[in-house]
Amino acid sequence: MKSRTHHSALSALALVATVFAAGVAHGQTARQFSFAYDQPTTTAYGIAANIFDAKLKELSGGTMSINQFPGGQLGQEPQALQKMRAGDIDFVITSTANASTLAPQAGVFSLHFIFRDQAHLAKVLADPAVAAEFRAMIKDSVQGAQVLGLLTMGMRNMYSKKEVKSIADVKNEKVRVQATKTEDAFFSAYKAVPIHMPFGQVYTSLQTGLIQIAENGNDVVLKNKHYEAAPVVSKTEHEANNSHLWVSQKTWDSLTPEQRTWVTQAADYSLPIASRKALELNTAAVNSLQKLGVKYVEEVDKKSFSVIATPLQDSQAQELGKHAVQILALVRGIK
């Protein structure tokens, strides 16, 4: 018995030595990077972070890993973006909508009704040409950070204390929207009143009546318990829930060429998997919400919205800029 225990201990030590030796062979000392996001670990953000961490450890021989700060611990997305650009956070996942506070053209992914369905959305976000154009757009307009890749959490729906069955149900209602000119334009066209606020304030604002309607993915509504304040989810699918992974330029500049390759490969590997799992979660969340007593309204007259939204797509993209126009063309071209 003693010899078996002794043998196990030796095996464990050998494994540690192997990992350490791999790091030494690469001439690296172990580094742990901060990785922040504003959602629970059980959402796609946490899934992406876990897969990214595992892949980064594997590629680096155990010399590189991340320390996760979920649930807005290091600030809501706008604050986290500023901290990352200053070099105080290494990696951040944010929505493309919140990215528009730094790069307005990121608002192209908030255009309404540009994704035909969830399958089309998944193809678009996994398309290398779309990712390349988005990275180029960020590079042209943002200092202090780079984008490593895109991911999606599925389609966004409106949720409230009442049903939203057509455009008539949002008229004059205060709707929390992400801080993009794009979303302001669409919701204003629907005759709603767009209200900007950080994600962390949405729950209380729905409770108090500061806003009447919010909009997000089913899994986000579930995992953040927003259904407690707004127990009716209406399947408007007006927009997609798109996000991306940032790296601080200060962090990037501190890496060797080999380390940069590992980071890039870890992102390329983890984000498409996280997107696939997120789409599954978004679909499964419907059943979970209904079991909790949430009313899920599937019969929504989407055409009442899209007939107003579709003519706005091109003018909004043109107003945003050349990268937005190109991304919109790429989105439409993917079958």
Side-chain angles (χ1 to χ4, degrees):
M1 191 70 155
K2 184 178 179 182
S3 61
R4 188 178 300 168
T5 305
H6 183 66
H7 179 73
S8 297
L10 285 175
S11 297
L13 284 169
L15 179 61
V16 171
T18 301
V19 171
F20 181 75
V24 172
H26 289 298
Q28 310 298 336
T29 54
R31 286 185 67 181
Q32 191 173 60
F33 301 88
S34 53
F35 193 114
Y37 49 94
D38 75 351
Q39 293 294 312
T41 54
T42 51
T43 62
Y45 286 7
I47 291 168
N50 287 337
I51 300 170
F52 178 84
D53 186 35
K55 194 67 176 176
L56 191 59
K57 285 175 181 171
E58 176 194 320
L59 293 168
S60 68
T63 63
M64 295 171 73
S65 62
I66 62 169
N67 184 22
Q68 294 184 45
F69 295 90
Q73 289 178 36
L74 299 185
Q76 296 294 308
E77 290 187 2
Q79 291 78 36
L81 283 171
Q82 295 303 331
K83 289 178 181 178
M84 177 201 58
R85 291 175 68 208
D88 297 328
I89 303 176
D90 299 306
F91 297 97
V92 177
I93 298 178
T94 72
S95 68
T96 53
N98 278 325
S100 72
T101 58
L102 299 180
Q105 291 191 71
V108 66
F109 278 128
S110 297
L111 293 175
H112 286 194
F113 298 101
I114 60 171
F115 300 104
R116 293 187 292 276
D117 51 36
Q118 201 145 272
H120 178 234
L121 168 62
K123 282 184 181 178
V124 169
L125 271 287
D127 187 81
V130 172
E133 188 65 26
F134 191 83
R135 278 195 293 268
M137 178 265 291
I138 293 292
K139 193 172 183 180
D140 280 356
S141 51
V142 179
Q143 290 185 321
Q146 292 187 33
V147 165
L148 291 168
L150 295 159
L151 70 154
T152 186
M153 296 170 77
M155 305 300 282
R156 295 172 78 91
N157 294 318
M158 297 187 202
Y159 54 104
S160 178
K161 289 183 171 69
K162 68 168 195 174
E163 296 182 1
V164 176
K165 299 192 82 170
S166 77
I167 196 169
D169 295 318
V170 303
K171 187 176 181 181
N172 298 324
E173 297 285 69
K174 288 176 283 186
V175 183
R176 183 268 176 175
V177 302
Q178 298 172 102
T180 70
K181 291 180 180 178
T182 311
E183 299 203 37
D184 288 347
F186 283 100
F187 280 99
S188 295
Y190 303 151
K191 306 299 183 188
V193 181
I195 304 288
H196 295 178
M197 68 175 59
F199 179 80
Q201 295 175 16
V202 174
Y203 183 104
T204 307
S205 298
L206 283 165
Q207 275 188 323
T208 60
L210 184 62
I211 54 173
Q212 282 84 45
I213 300 171
E215 44 90 51
N216 218 311
N218 298 328
D219 194 52
V220 173
V221 176
L222 174 67
K223 300 287 171 62
N224 290 278
K225 298 187 176 182
H226 283 193
Y227 59 85
E228 294 176 348
V232 183
V233 177
S234 301
K235 191 180 178 183
T236 52
E237 294 188 322
H238 54 282
E239 184 184 331
N241 220 7
N242 297 328
S243 308
H244 56 105
L245 176 59
W246 298 85
V247 60
S248 167
Q249 190 66 45
K250 184 178 177 181
T251 304
W252 186 256
D253 290 344
S254 74
L255 302 176
T256 65
E258 187 174 34
Q259 288 174 325
R260 291 176 184 177
T261 299
W262 295 335
V263 167
T264 302
Q265 288 176 343
D268 289 345
Y269 176 79
S270 61
L271 298 179
I273 297 174
S275 286
R276 287 196 296 275
K277 290 185 177 294
L279 295 177
E280 292 169 8
L281 286 172
N282 205 44
T283 300
V286 175
N287 189 44
S288 300
L289 287 166
Q290 289 174 325
K291 284 182 177 177
L292 289 163
V294 173
K295 185 172 186 179
Y296 192 76
V297 182
E298 295 204 46
E299 297 301 317
V300 176
D301 180 10
K302 294 181 190 176
K303 193 172 182 182
S304 67
F305 291 97
S306 65
V307 71
I308 290 172
T310 304
L312 286 176
Q313 292 169 356
D314 285 302
S315 60
Q316 282 297 303
Q318 286 162 9
E319 194 174 309
L320 289 170
K322 64 178 184 179
H323 290 293
V325 171
Q326 181 60 24
I327 288 171
L328 178 58
L330 289 168
V331 169
R332 288 172 171 167
I334 293 172
K335 304 302 180 189

